[in-house]
Amino acid sequence: QVQLVESGGGLVQAGGSLRLSCAASGRTFSSYAMGWFRQAPGKEREFVAAIIWSDSTTYYTDSVKGRFTISRDAAKNTLYLQMNSLKPEDTAVYYCAADPNSARRSADYWGQGTQVTVSS
């Protein structure tokens, strides 16, 4: 059974940084894409970033390009999202996702989410 467990969320001031982690277990992810989505209060869930596990090709939504970096540690089966220069509009619940295709529109597997709050 696939499990995705996020950690690293919290409260940070605008301009600060956080690193989210997602520990993945239950299968081999070498042929998968993994990504991060977020959902702010009253809004739909949106794509943030994704990485192809096998070759580390990355994708980002425009609003986080240059500020967020997605990466993975294959030995630890862990996905990361380094978030710098955080803005209040980045406040949301962040979800880790895994998908056999792209993890950019939807995903087969989801974590439980971790709250990120950016104060102004």
Side-chain angles (χ1 to χ4, degrees), residues 18-37:
L18 282 174
R19 188 176 81 154
L20 305 183
S21 299
C22 173
S25 62
R27 65 158 296 126
T28 301
F29 293 94
S30 57
S31 62
Y32 269 53
M34 295 190 72
W36 293 95
F37 290 73

Side-chain angles (χ1 to χ4, degrees), residues 7-9 17-21 36 69 71 76 78-84 86 114 116:
S7 60
S17 299
L18 282 174
R19 188 176 81 154
L20 305 183
S21 299
W36 293 95
T69 302
S71 62
K76 296 181 179 180
T78 300
L79 179 72
Y80 301 101
L81 185 68
Q82 178 67 43
M83 305 185 295
N84 299 328
L86 282 161
T114 186
V116 171

Side-chain angles (χ1 to χ4, degrees), residues 23-92:
S25 62
R27 65 158 296 126
T28 301
F29 293 94
S30 57
S31 62
Y32 269 53
M34 295 190 72
W36 293 95
F37 290 73
R38 65 186 180 187
Q39 187 167 20
K43 295 188 176 181
E44 292 187 353
R45 185 169 56 196
E46 65 171 353
F47 166 74
V48 177
I51 187 167
I52 306 298
W53 198 262
S54 60
D55 65 7
S56 296
T57 300
T58 58
Y59 304 89
Y60 297 94
T61 193
D62 286 346
S63 63
V64 307
K65 284 180 181 176
R67 299 189 299 123
F68 291 11
T69 302
I70 189 171
S71 62
R72 93 292 188 268
D73 185 328
K76 296 181 179 180
N77 245 19
T78 300
L79 179 72
Y80 301 101
L81 185 68
Q82 178 67 43
M83 305 185 295
N84 299 328
S85 302
L86 282 161
K87 304 175 181 180
E89 51 263 44
D90 294 317
T91 294

